[in-house]
Amino acid sequence: MLFKKMLRDIKNNLSQFITIFLMVLIGVMAYSGIEAYMDGMADTANIFYSENNLQDLNVIGENFTKDDLNDIKKINHVKDAERKLSLTATTDNDKTLLLNFIESNNISKFYIIEGEEFNPNINGVWLDNFYAIENNIKVGDTILVKYENMELHEKVRALINVPDHLYDTRDSSELYPDRKGFGFAYVSSNEIPESFIKDMVMKKGNIDNEEVFDFLFPDFNYKDYLIYNYVMIDVDKKSNKEKVKEEIEEKIDNAKAVINIEDTASYVTYQGEIDEGKTYIGVFSGLFLFIAMLSVITTMTRVVKNQRVQIGTLKALGFKNRKILMHYIGYGFYIATLASLLGLVAGYFFIGKVFINLEMAFFEIPNGHPILGINSYIVALIVVAIVSFITYLTCRTILKENPAETLRNKIPNVKKNSLNITTKGIFKKMNFSSKWNARDMIRNKMRTFMGVAGVVGCCMLIVCALGMLDSMNYFVKLQFNDLYNFDYKLTLKENINKEEVDTLYKKYGNKTSKTYGIEIKEKDKKESNNIFVTDAENYVRFVDRKGKFIKLDKDNGVYVTYKLAETKGYKIGDKITWHIYGEDKYYTSKIVGFNKDPQNQNVTMTRKCLESLGIEYSPDSLYTNKDLSKVKEIKNVETIQDIEELEEGMTSMLSMMKTMLVLIITIAVLLGAIIIYNLGILSYTEKQYQFSTLKVLGFKDKQIEKIFIKQNNWIAIASIIIGLPLGFYLTDWLFKTAIEEHYDFGASITLRTYIIAAIGTFLVSYIMSRFLARKIKNIDMVTSLKGNE
């Protein structure tokens, strides 16, 4: 019988129970979806790294001999080590490839998308899958790869993913991977031409005559002179990496730098995306759940209180309190359980899968999959438990009364003094509808508070989602319009001599820079970073925290980015001790100023400051405003980067971000509409008696509709006033805490976003109010007026 009663009650209050169902579903869906996407990213990477044996350390140098390799393998805790030669080459269509020559493939093994396994004795190239897709290259095609005087015509043996190439860019100035213009390729070291090695040996020995070379190297075997500038190392345990690193630095003279894989751009960027997502889980999904639960609690409380007379009747008929409790707990339990289960499924498929597919288009990692973790199930259970517990508390309060009391509608506990406010001051001049609404809001403080809280939360989410996009657009402007004041950046080849640099100066100007990989030493701790040495004058500019341009005009010390200074506690006048990778000599430099860099937290100094330390300045980048749109190749230049192409790459990343933000905005608007509708239904249900009384007194339906809509408009306006600034602070907090430590930018929200969020929130509220106001025409006056007798 009680089950049938529950079904009948649900049917009679269908709109309220539907809103409860939708709010729980959306809240659980938002949480489980975002968590499934983030856990999926982490699990996908862990599987890929493990199954394909991602290296633990990269050792970088000019050339590692077989003896070096054997010495490294003999070091305690080293499981395996492999050499590779990594070069920046070009292709026959003037694109760039990071060309890697390897002897074997047991470390950082290829994941074969299509084609055959690596075999060092087979000619051919194992090519970046993303690059191949963008350039319509298939297995079996032949591509041309060029580096200096070396030309290789290689058959594509396979399309691959590689665990240390999840995120590849030409250099740090390129924020978004250019998959069409830049990729990676692997070739057997047996493919290195003898002529290339011979020319290299001749150049190194300053030999320009082949007869002289043949005389000096009568038994020349080019394989004995192969160059390898990287050694990938597999360590037995993660805890032993630092020991191995220190021993390599001590014993291997050719080792210029030993880098943890966790410090490489590919690893850091992917892990940063996961860390950001974890913050989003706690903010976006937490906010969604909080807003939804506030409204669900209010609704369930009202539903049970409206059943007061029925509860009294059941008590009078002899039903035990426990039986009645379980009956009413079932109202919330069954609805919340069904909604939570569907929320878990919807979160997995409609958020988890969508988001992770977007990420897999951004990172080169196979088999991306969302994971519905234990936390999602726990949250779903907590939601069901909260709804059931609130229902229990409300019902238990009513059950404490005797049947005679519960058979009567509860008289509202109205404090006379609290309502006198509408007869004083500015309230005295209000018209009737305003006074009526003010009294109603004071009388129903909790409902009013819940309404404001719900709409504030939705307004915050809309401001935050749009504000994140505004802030990223500002970041692009700051980076590519303000700080970068050049049209083209030329990346110079390594070991370029002074005469070759001077030749480039004559053609393209002398605005240059140099970036050194360094280790900063603080007591016994060493941390990797870089020093940007500028001789670019106004071609590369710098700003302070407020975005105003500053000049680096002090040559007696270094400038440190604000965020790095805050992280390390640096102040003006402090000194840092550092050394360049590959050199043992340490330098101590005074901090003479700060600058803001949105994407690199590093150290900067002028060329004069560098040379005052006795370090020779040899640029690695040259900036020019000459038109190079038709220039495809320049001697002694590895890459030619167009500032417009760099900006377009960042814009591509923003387009992916827009998809995610649209989904967040859609959920926020949907949740806001449901909350407003739900609160409107509650408000309307509670006011039927008052509205019927107003009708008896001669008020027309349209007048009563205006009274009803006015209160909801007040709540919407108050919520917007509170929600807009809170949306800014939420966005700013997200950027300063969720974004990985290499970036430094806060919220920069345009007036347009505030206007859109304000108008959008108000329109949703107004439309829902208008929709509900139509019910006033259908009020059964006899039932409403007799119901309170």
Side-chain angles (χ1 to χ4, degrees):
M1 185 184 79
L2 290 179
F3 183 73
K4 287 182 179 179
K5 175 185 175 298
M6 182 176 69
L7 294 178
R8 185 175 64 250
D9 288 340
I10 291 173
K11 181 182 178 182
N12 292 336
N13 298 276
L14 189 60
S15 58
Q16 293 183 48
F17 282 104
I18 287 175
T19 55
I20 292 171
F21 175 84
L22 290 175
M23 284 186 288
V24 172
L25 186 148
I26 290 172
V28 173
M29 180 181 73
Y31 183 90
S32 63
I34 297 176
E35 189 181 66
Y37 141 65
M38 296 318 310
D39 285 354
M41 281 191 69
D43 189 68
T44 299
N46 290 336
I47 292 171
F48 188 42
Y49 290 156
S50 175
E51 291 183 351
N52 295 78
N53 197 22
L54 176 69
Q55 66 265 39
D56 296 301
L57 298 170
N58 278 328
V59 187
I60 305 171
E62 290 185 2
N63 185 23
F64 294 102
T65 64
K66 283 186 177 180
D67 290 339
D68 290 330
L69 183 65
N70 291 330
D71 288 341
I72 289 173
K73 287 182 176 180
K74 291 176 184 176
I75 293 174
N76 288 336
H77 308 298
V78 172
K79 283 175 64 179
D80 197 6
E82 291 182 1
R83 297 183 295 176
K84 73 175 179 180
L85 170 61
S86 188
L87 307 169
T88 304
T90 57
T91 65
D92 52 357
N93 49 6
D94 298 308
K95 293 176 169 45
T96 306
L97 279 177
L98 186 62
L99 183 61
N100 301 277
F101 293 94
I102 57 175
E103 300 171 285
S104 57
N105 188 226
N106 297 318
I107 299 176
S108 197
K109 293 189 290 188
F110 304 158
Y111 179 89
I112 308 295
I113 305 292
E114 180 185 353
E116 57 189 278
E117 297 288 335
F118 177 76
N119 186 333
N121 300 315
I122 295 178
N123 296 341
V125 61
W126 281 257
L127 188 62
D128 174 0
N129 181 57
F130 274 28
Y131 176 85
I133 292 171
E134 290 292 330
N135 290 283
N136 197 29
I137 299 172
K138 298 178 176 60
V139 173
D141 291 351
T142 299
I143 63 170
L144 170 65
V145 184
K146 298 178 289 185
Y147 180 81
E148 294 185 351
N149 66 329
M150 175 173 60
E151 286 193 4
L152 300 175
H153 294 268
E154 297 290 349
K155 181 180 179 181
V156 177
R157 293 290 179 180
L159 305 181
I160 60 172
N161 290 149
V162 184
D164 62 345
H165 289 281
L166 268 59
Y167 182 90
D168 273 343
T169 58
R170 290 183 180 90
D171 59 27
S172 60
S173 62
E174 190 173 79
L175 301 182
Y176 184 84
D178 176 13
R179 306 295 189 191
K180 190 176 181 66
F182 180 74
F184 62 85
Y186 281 79
V187 178
S188 169
S189 57
N190 293 327
E191 293 287 283
I192 301 176
E194 181 177 356
S195 58
F196 174 73
I197 300 298
K198 186 176 181 179
D199 287 348
M200 183 195 65
V201 174
M202 290 177 67
K203 186 176 181 180
K204 192 172 182 179
N206 293 321
I207 303 170
D208 54 9
N209 188 299
E210 286 203 19
E211 292 182 359
V212 174
F213 176 84
D214 291 337
F215 177 76
L216 294 174
F217 298 89
D219 299 317
F220 178 73
N221 181 357
Y222 83 97
K223 289 191 176 181
D224 294 335
Y225 294 86
L226 291 177
I227 288 178
Y228 295 92
N229 54 8
Y230 276 83
V231 177
M232 300 178 290
I233 296 176
D234 187 14
V235 179
D236 57 3
K237 291 181 181 178
K238 301 290 183 186
S239 58
N240 292 324
K241 283 201 298 184
E242 285 303 314
K243 294 178 184 177
V244 172
K245 181 180 177 181
E246 290 173 5
E247 201 162 343
I248 290 172
E249 289 173 339
E250 181 182 337
K251 293 182 177 180
I252 310 301
D253 294 334
N254 286 326
K256 302 297 183 184
V258 185
I259 311 293
N260 281 323
I261 195 65
E262 290 85 355
D263 294 328
T264 58
S266 172
Y267 191 99
V268 165
T269 307
Y270 190 88
Q271 189 59 42
E273 195 76 8
I274 295 172
D275 293 340
E276 290 169 28
K278 288 178 180 177
T279 304
Y280 297 152
I281 289 174
V283 176
F284 284 118
S285 55
L287 201 52
F288 279 127
L289 271 173
F290 175 72
I291 296 167
M293 289 312 299
L294 275 180
S295 298
V296 169
I297 290 166
T298 306
T299 306
M300 283 307 304
T301 302
R302 297 292 182 183
V303 166
V304 173
K305 283 185 177 180
N306 287 339
Q307 291 274 314
R308 176 185 176 82
V309 175
Q310 288 92 324
I311 292 172
T313 303
L314 291 172
K315 288 182 72 175
L317 291 172
F319 282 87
K320 293 182 179 179
N321 286 354
R322 184 176 177 277
K323 188 82 172 177
I324 298 171
L325 269 175
M326 295 306 296
H327 167 65
Y328 281 99
I329 287 172
Y331 282 59
F333 176 80
Y334 293 123
I335 298 271
T337 300
L338 179 60
S340 294
L341 290 173
L342 289 177
L344 291 171
V345 175
Y348 180 87
F349 287 102
F350 296 123
I351 296 180
K353 272 190 172 293
V354 170
F355 275 29
I356 205 162
N357 286 338
L358 287 170
E359 291 289 359
M360 294 306 102
F362 186 63
F363 292 100
E364 289 207 52
I365 184 168
N367 304 323
H369 57 278
I371 289 180
L372 209 55
I374 187 67
N375 287 342
S376 295
Y377 292 103
I378 291 172
V379 166
L381 286 173
I382 289 172
V383 169
V384 173
I386 289 173
V387 174
S388 302
F389 183 67
I390 292 300
T391 311
Y392 163 78
L393 288 179
T394 307
C395 192
R396 185 168 172 268
T397 302
I398 298 172
L399 286 172
K400 285 181 179 180
E401 301 174 8
N402 62 52
E405 290 176 336
T406 53
L407 283 168
R408 298 188 185 94
N409 279 325
K410 190 174 180 66
I411 299 173
N413 183 21
V414 180
K415 293 181 181 179
K416 183 179 178 183
N417 292 337
S418 68
L419 297 180
N420 283 341
I421 190 173
T422 57
T423 63
K424 300 175 183 178
I426 60 170
F427 294 99
K428 192 175 181 179
K429 298 179 181 180
M430 283 183 172
N431 57 30
F432 172 79
S433 64
S434 297
K435 286 182 179 179
W436 190 90
N437 278 316
R439 282 172 173 260
D440 184 68
M441 291 169 71
I442 293 169
R443 181 180 292 156
N444 296 280
K445 297 182 185 69
M446 183 54 67
R447 188 189 69 217
T448 303
F449 171 76
M450 293 297 186
V452 171
V455 180
V456 163
C458 295
C459 184
M460 282 174 61
L461 286 168
I462 294 171
V463 171
C464 185
L466 292 173
M468 288 176 73
L469 194 59
D470 284 343
S471 301
M472 293 301 292
N473 285 327
Y474 172 75
F475 167 68
V476 172
K477 175 188 172 296
L478 175 64
Q479 188 69 64
F480 297 102
N481 292 30
D482 296 343
L483 301 185
Y484 291 170
N485 191 32
F486 54 84
D487 293 333
Y488 290 89
K489 176 183 176 181
L490 309 182
T491 303
L492 310 184
K493 290 184 176 179
E494 290 185 26
N495 302 320
I496 185 172
N497 60 44
K498 189 176 182 305
E499 290 74 18
E500 291 167 333
V501 171
D502 289 339
T503 301
L504 292 171
Y505 283 173
K506 290 175 183 177
K507 288 185 178 180
Y508 308 109
N510 63 349
K511 306 303 183 288
T512 61
S513 70
K514 172 74 173 183
T515 302
Y516 290 96
I518 64 168
E519 270 191 332
I520 298 175
K521 183 179 180 182
E522 290 185 30
K523 297 180 181 178
D524 296 329
K525 190 177 179 182
K526 297 178 183 178
E527 289 192 1
S528 300
N529 209 304
N530 64 76
I531 283 185
F532 179 78
V533 182
T534 177
D535 192 33
E537 296 181 1
N538 199 43
Y539 279 56
V540 178
R541 298 186 289 202
F542 301 88
V543 294
D544 62 15
R545 255 289 157 72
K546 296 180 180 178
K548 294 181 179 179
F549 291 113
I550 58 173
K551 286 187 176 181
L552 306 192
D553 52 4
K554 296 178 181 177
D555 302 323
N556 61 333
V558 298
Y559 293 79
V560 175
T561 56
Y562 287 102
K563 190 166 184 179
L564 180 63
E566 289 170 1
T567 303
K568 301 299 179 186
Y570 294 147
K571 297 180 177 63
I572 300 290
D574 288 353
K575 294 182 177 180
I576 60 170
T577 301
W578 54 277
H579 80 98
I580 298 171
Y581 274 121
E583 298 182 8
D584 296 330
K585 186 177 180 180
Y586 275 88
Y587 303 90
T588 299
S589 301
K590 184 173 70 172
I591 297 173
V592 294
F594 298 132
N595 68 287
K596 179 177 179 176
D597 192 318
Q599 62 166 319
N600 288 304
Q601 305 318 309
N602 60 357
V603 180
T604 301
M605 67 166 60
T606 64
R607 175 179 177 174
K608 286 184 180 179
C609 179
L610 181 81
E611 291 177 335
S612 70
L613 298 174
I615 303 172
E616 183 182 353
Y617 176 76
S618 54
D620 59 10
S621 299
L622 188 151
Y623 309 96
T624 183
N625 287 330
K626 288 203 170 185
D627 185 8
L628 301 179
S629 56
K630 296 181 181 179
V631 178
K632 302 299 181 183
E633 192 173 341
I634 299 174
K635 187 179 180 181
N636 294 315
V637 172
E638 278 195 354
T639 58
I640 305 169
Q641 290 174 282
D642 184 344
I643 191 69
E644 291 182 0
E645 290 179 359
L646 294 176
E647 190 171 351
E648 284 173 12
M650 188 63 188
T651 306
S652 298
M653 186 177 75
L654 288 178
S655 66
M656 184 191 77
M657 186 179 176
K658 283 179 185 176
T659 306
M660 296 184 178
L661 296 180
V662 165
L663 187 55
I664 291 170
I665 292 168
T666 302
I667 295 174
V669 171
L670 182 62
L671 188 61
I674 293 169
I675 287 170
I676 292 166
Y677 177 80
N678 177 58
L679 291 168
I681 282 285
L682 287 176
S683 177
Y684 168 79
T685 303
E686 292 171 355
K687 293 172 186 172
Q688 284 192 61
Y689 176 77
Q690 292 95 318
F691 288 159
S692 298
T693 304
L694 291 174
K695 280 192 174 189
V696 171
L697 293 173
F699 282 78
K700 294 181 180 179
D701 288 340
K702 286 189 176 180
Q703 289 176 300
I704 300 173
E705 286 177 12
K706 286 181 180 178
I707 293 172
F708 177 72
I709 292 170
K710 180 181 280 190
Q711 184 177 135
N712 291 338
N713 287 347
W714 285 3
I715 290 174
I717 291 168
S719 302
I720 290 166
I721 292 170
I722 298 169
L724 293 180
L726 288 180
F728 171 85
Y729 289 118
L730 175 62
T731 310
D732 196 56
W733 180 82
L734 275 173
F735 275 119
K736 289 178 178 177
T737 58
I739 301 296
E740 62 175 286
E741 61 182 15
H742 294 286
Y743 294 100
D744 179 19
F745 52 94
S748 180
I749 302 177
T750 62
L751 179 62
R752 184 184 67 173
T753 288
Y754 290 120
I755 293 171
I756 291 172
I759 293 175
T761 303
F762 185 81
L763 278 177
V764 170
S765 175
Y766 182 75
I767 291 168
M768 288 293 104
S769 300
R770 292 290 300 179
F771 177 75
L772 288 167
R774 295 186 304 175
K775 291 178 174 287
I776 291 170
K777 296 177 184 178
N778 303 320
I779 290 176
D780 185 342
M781 293 176 62
V782 174
T783 304
S784 299
L785 291 170
K786 295 288 285 183
N788 273 9
E789 292 182 1

